[in-house]
Amino acid sequence: MTAECKTFADVLDAVPRPPEDAPQGTRTRYATQFANKLAVLFANRLRTTFVGILPHADGTGQESRARTAKGFKKLDVNYSTPELGLGLGVSLKHIHQRDSKTKRYTKNYSRNDNELRSEAMDYHERQPYAVMIGVLFLPYDAADDYGDKNDPSSFGAAVRYFRNRAGRSQVNAPADLFEKFYIALYEHSGPDRGKVEFYDVDRPKPPFGRRPTPDEVVTFEGFVDEVIRVYDARNDPPFHWAEA
């Protein structure tokens, strides 16, 4: 029986984090298991609005396929219908350990961005009305490792780096962009273990060398609300009359 996954703490409980000196194979298995459990959590939180979203609550339907301009590709979280085709896709990336040399989380930003660019382009070229949401997970201490005045924290660097992957507000905008992109900061240990907050990379003036304040981030509930708002703006935009 698959354990129920309702909170980020459930993900941490289900997939214990290996030590930094663990063998590469152990770390690779952890990354795969973490990603799979994370996809279930996101689908569970979105399931009330997006009925039939994959993966299922029991973990089946992982990395479901959706049609792209280059055949079928796998999506972490996939909401598709016969009427819409791909309506909503969520791509989840995570970097859970510092680079052993730089002691920062920035080593794989370029690789992740290349994967995200290809994913967004392939889906949007085939299905321009699809709403694509990107999320990069970083431990909260990624906001603490800033250096000098020219060297922001790993979190600040992520906001600057992945802002170029966000902002597709119109269907004729570049296909390689996501409609929205977030940096998800989380606590994996200590008294706040399981805390997770989402920072929109389009937000102006991100923190350079500090943790974001509560008014600069949204909770998981706030993230879900923003996803629904962006989806509705694309598929059922509100109409306003001059008179109340």
Side-chain angles (χ1 to χ4, degrees):
M1 180 69 69
T2 303
E4 202 167 13
C5 191
K6 294 183 176 180
T7 68
F8 188 71
D10 293 337
V11 175
L12 298 180
D13 290 342
V15 190
R17 188 182 191 191
E20 293 190 5
D21 59 353
Q24 181 60 46
T26 299
R27 286 182 284 151
T28 300
R29 284 191 297 274
Y30 166 78
T32 300
Q33 294 168 356
F34 182 88
N36 289 344
K37 204 68 176 178
L38 201 58
V40 172
L41 172 62
F42 272 73
N44 285 347
R45 300 299 285 266
L46 293 163
R47 204 176 304 283
T48 300
T49 299
F50 301 98
V51 178
I53 196 169
L54 296 174
H56 298 296
D58 64 0
T60 58
Q62 292 279 359
E63 294 188 322
S64 52
R65 301 197 309 163
R67 174 71 73 175
T68 76
K70 298 179 180 179
F72 287 98
K73 292 186 72 172
K74 296 178 180 179
L75 259 176
D76 294 317
V77 181
N78 176 355
Y79 174 67
S80 297
T81 73
E83 296 81 12
L84 292 173
L86 176 62
L88 172 69
V90 183
S91 182
L92 303 171
K93 302 295 183 183
H94 63 97
I95 301 173
H96 60 274
Q97 289 183 333
R98 298 181 185 274
D99 177 62
S100 59
K101 293 182 179 179
T102 65
K103 307 303 180 184
R104 288 166 61 82
Y105 292 95
T106 56
K107 180 179 179 180
N108 290 317
Y109 286 2
S110 178
R111 175 179 60 81
N112 280 306
D113 185 56
N114 287 336
E115 293 175 0
L116 290 162
R117 184 186 70 249
S118 174
E119 187 174 1
M121 180 175 290
D122 288 349
Y123 283 117
H124 280 143
E125 285 184 347
R126 168 81 181 190
Q127 305 185 85
Y129 282 84
V131 172
M132 295 294 294
I133 307 294
V135 185
L136 172 66
F137 271 76
L138 292 174
Y140 231 116
D141 60 3
D144 301 330
D145 62 358
Y146 65 94
D148 57 29
K149 64 180 182 180
N150 298 314
D151 193 16
S153 68
S154 293
F155 162 66
V159 176
R160 181 171 60 188
Y161 201 99
F162 292 98
R163 179 174 287 177
N164 294 327
R165 194 57 49 216
R168 189 175 183 271
S169 59
Q170 303 293 330
V171 296
N172 59 353
D176 61 352
L177 301 180
F178 282 72
E179 273 63 23
K180 298 291 285 185
F181 198 97
Y182 297 85
I183 308 299
L185 294 171
Y186 69 94
E187 296 285 8
H188 57 79
S189 61
D192 290 328
R193 181 178 182 274
K195 174 183 176 182
V196 61
E197 294 175 318
F198 297 81
Y199 188 94
D200 186 339
V201 299
D202 279 331
R203 184 182 178 89
K205 297 183 179 181
F208 179 88
R210 60 169 174 82
R211 298 188 174 203
T213 57
D215 64 313
E216 293 175 322
V217 293
V218 294
T219 63
F220 218 134
E221 290 74 17
F223 167 82
V224 169
D225 289 343
E226 290 192 2
V227 170
I228 294 171
R229 178 184 59 77
V230 174
Y231 177 85
D232 286 344
R234 175 64 48 80
N235 293 280
D236 188 21
F239 190 90
H240 301 290
W241 298 105
E243 298 84 7

